[in-house]
Amino acid sequence: MDAEAQDSFREFVENRSSALLRTAVLLSGGDRHAGEDLLQSALMKAADRWHRIDEPEAYVRQILYRQQISRWRLKWRRRELSVAEPPEAAADPDGAAAAELRLLMRGALARLTARQRTVLVLRYFEDLPEADVARILGCTVGTVRSTTHRSLARLRSLAPELGALDPADPGTRSSRDFSPVEVRP
């Protein structure tokens, strides 16, 4: 890689790594370390071909999705994610509600299968249409629809508290919430 390409790659990583990391963490079921590993390996693959890439962010996101698909296909044993419970008394009542929602959503997403979680992340966090999700996952649009339906139903059963939240109430949601998935009973 020449000096100009290195500078371009370094600038891309500085500007876009936080957004890409959020996606990688979501794809990894809320496990930040696994998300960092996923992003790091995607960036390494992109660096090898940096001079040939027209749309770097789309290219890196595609690598993230494909690597996550490869991880489920390896059929590794799924590790449990331990999450500490939030404290009883919150120092900041506005921030506490948002943090509680993120923890609740993260815990519920972590208990979904990797495929269910990936479909929800692509559909609702990445806001991709069903056809694009089907293309990325290598399946039909019908499979994406049925997986989305089953995933949302499972999410509702895992975290029924999410259905009681009023999305119009600014105290319960913020633009930086963990996921934009609307879950209603």
Side-chain angles (χ1 to χ4, degrees):
M1 184 182 304
D2 62 1
E4 184 180 326
Q6 282 181 346
D7 290 340
S8 172
F9 181 72
R10 188 173 294 119
E11 182 181 327
F12 171 77
V13 171
E14 287 174 6
N15 292 333
R16 300 305 305 154
S17 63
S18 61
L20 292 168
L21 180 60
R22 282 192 298 273
T23 300
V25 169
L26 285 171
L27 289 170
S28 301
D31 184 348
R32 183 171 177 88
H33 298 292
E36 289 171 350
D37 290 344
L38 184 64
L39 178 58
Q40 182 66 30
S41 59
L43 289 173
M44 285 174 34
K45 287 183 178 188
D48 290 340
R49 298 176 180 239
W50 190 253
H51 61 283
R52 290 182 259 165
I53 300 173
D54 294 327
E55 294 181 39
E57 185 157 355
Y59 188 85
V60 172
R61 285 182 185 275
Q62 188 72 25
I63 294 171
L64 286 173
Y65 307 148
R66 289 186 177 170
Q67 284 185 291
Q68 184 60 27
I69 291 168
S70 295
R71 286 183 180 188
W72 341 311
R73 290 182 179 154
L74 290 176
K75 297 185 180 182
W76 286 350
R77 286 192 155 197
R78 190 168 176 208
R79 294 180 291 173
E80 269 189 47
L81 176 66
S82 299
V83 178
E85 294 191 69
E88 293 288 331
D92 179 18
D94 294 337
E100 187 174 331
L101 176 63
R102 283 191 303 274
L103 286 172
L104 182 65
M105 182 61 79
R106 181 174 287 153
L109 283 172
R111 291 170 46 198
L112 295 175
T113 66
R115 184 175 187 90
Q116 289 174 327
R117 186 173 50 250
T118 302
V119 168
L120 290 181
V121 168
L122 292 175
R123 282 286 293 130
Y124 297 105
F125 184 76
E126 293 290 321
D127 199 25
L128 294 176
E130 292 168 337
D132 289 351
V133 175
R135 183 184 47 76
I136 289 168
L137 299 179
C139 62
T140 65
V141 173
T143 301
V144 171
R145 288 179 183 157
S146 63
T147 302
T148 301
H149 177 75
R150 283 192 304 270
S151 302
L152 289 174
R154 175 140 163 111
L155 198 59
R156 285 184 194 102
S157 71
L158 291 172
E161 306 86 10
L162 292 173
L165 295 175
D166 179 11
D169 181 10
T172 60
R173 296 192 63 123
S174 75
S175 61
R176 301 194 64 177
D177 279 345
F178 181 72
S179 173
V181 176
E182 293 294 332
V183 181
R184 299 181 188 269

